[in-house]
Amino acid sequence: KAGVTQTPRYLIKTRGQQVTLSCSPISGHRSVSWYQQTPGQGLQFLFEYFSETQRNKGNFPGRFSGRQFSNSRSEMNVSTLELGDSALYLCASSIDSGRPYGYTFGSGTRLTVV
Amino acid sequence: QKEVEQDPGPLSVPEGAIVSLNCTYSNSAFQYFMWYRQYSRKGPELLMYTYSSGNKEDGRFTAQVDKSSKYISLFIRDSQPSDSATYLCAMSAGTGNQFYFGTGTSLTVIP
């Protein structure tokens, strides 16, 4: 079966712009989580959506937002981009939240802010 | 203090060596303990998970959890060049709770 699909794979944006990243979870999965991965900080949790509701949120500024649609696809948006937002953004889907089995990551979107 | 601490390495070993990767944590509520492997330009993939304390073995991989010491380990026996990747530990307090990841240990297995 198809895995977690993230688009686009690579993105270059200018400081001050905004960006929207997309994640299509595995069919049947209702939970989608977003992470930011940087060399210094590792994977940092952004937020989790379950059945269109935000269930958990990490410690990121309000410039980072997300949503989930009725088909479980999710988008995350970053407004007023800063150089420090350059990172690999990973999406993970699972049937339910907090269960380690069936928690599957996509290959990520590499965002570069110049 | 970070929830999860992991030595970033890098770790370089000869093929066939036994590799030991470790993480420590501070939150005693963690119940699920996981190890992920991440190849370059890929997302992490789940290698193993354990619930609560104890050992779990899967082929060449063994995961150990010592909740009294708040310490988890992943052992790789007979390491292969294909094991070269970054290994991330992750933990969760349970269903409905978020995962906390270590920063990852970069491993290179030299043929």
Side-chain angles (χ1 to χ4, degrees), chain A residues 62-112:
Chain A
R63 301 185 296 107
F64 292 82
S65 63
R67 59 178 175 168
Q68 186 180 33
F69 302 96
S70 58
N71 62 357
S72 293
R73 189 177 72 85
S74 178
E75 289 181 346
M76 69 162 280
N77 185 78
V78 188
S79 62
T80 320
L81 283 165
E82 300 177 0
L83 296 179
D85 297 333
S86 295
L88 180 67
Y89 289 87
L90 290 160
C91 159
S93 79
S94 65
I95 290 174
D96 197 353
S97 64
R99 297 183 186 277
Y101 39 90
Y103 195 79
T104 306
F105 281 90
S107 293
T109 294
R110 172 74 62 184
L111 172 66
T112 302

Side-chain angles (χ1 to χ4, degrees), chain A residues 9-10 35 37 39-43 45 48 55-58 88 90 96-103 105-107, chain B residues 2 32-34 36 38 41-46 49-50 86 88 92 94-104:
Chain A
R9 288 296 309 276
Y10 302 93
Y35 290 84
Q37 186 175 32
Q41 298 296 317
L43 268 86
F45 175 74
E48 180 199 3
R55 180 173 284 192
N56 285 307
K57 189 177 189 306
L88 180 67
L90 290 160
D96 197 353
S97 64
R99 297 183 186 277
Y101 39 90
Y103 195 79
F105 281 90
S107 293
Chain B
K2 279 192 169 184
Y32 288 105
F33 303 91
M34 296 145 275
Y36 284 82
Q38 185 175 21
R41 295 190 178 85
K42 295 287 188 182
E45 57 175 334
L46 181 65
Y49 75 90
T50 53
T86 296
L88 301 130
S92 165
T95 302
N97 290 275
Q98 70 178 77
F99 289 7
Y100 292 87
F101 282 82
T103 49

Side-chain angles (χ1 to χ4, degrees), chain B:
Chain B
Q1 183 188 7
K2 279 192 169 184
E3 298 270 3
V4 180
E5 299 280 356
Q6 183 175 10
D7 186 340
L11 197 57
S12 184
V13 301
E15 183 175 352
I18 296 175
V19 177
S20 172
L21 305 167
N22 311 292
C23 289
T24 59
Y25 63 96
S26 56
N27 189 342
S28 58
F30 289 148
Q31 294 287 338
Y32 288 105
F33 303 91
M34 296 145 275
W35 286 96
Y36 284 82
R37 177 175 61 194
Q38 185 175 21
Y39 291 115
S40 180
R41 295 190 178 85
K42 295 287 188 182
E45 57 175 334
L46 181 65
L47 266 179
M48 299 182 70
Y49 75 90
T50 53
Y51 176 74
S52 193
S53 283
N55 295 358
K56 187 173 185 178
E57 189 173 319
D58 184 2
R60 296 184 295 110
F61 298 88
T62 299
Q64 285 185 354
V65 175
D66 181 349
K67 291 191 73 179
S68 62
S69 302
K70 296 190 178 69
Y71 188 89
I72 71 170
S73 300
L74 177 71
F75 297 96
I76 306 173
R77 292 184 299 280
D78 187 25
S79 56
Q80 302 295 310
S82 58
D83 295 329
S84 298
T86 296
Y87 290 80
L88 301 130
C89 62
M91 304 173 194
S92 165
T95 302
N97 290 275
Q98 70 178 77
F99 289 7
Y100 292 87
F101 282 82
T103 49
T105 299
S106 175
L107 171 67
T108 300
V109 180
I110 303 167

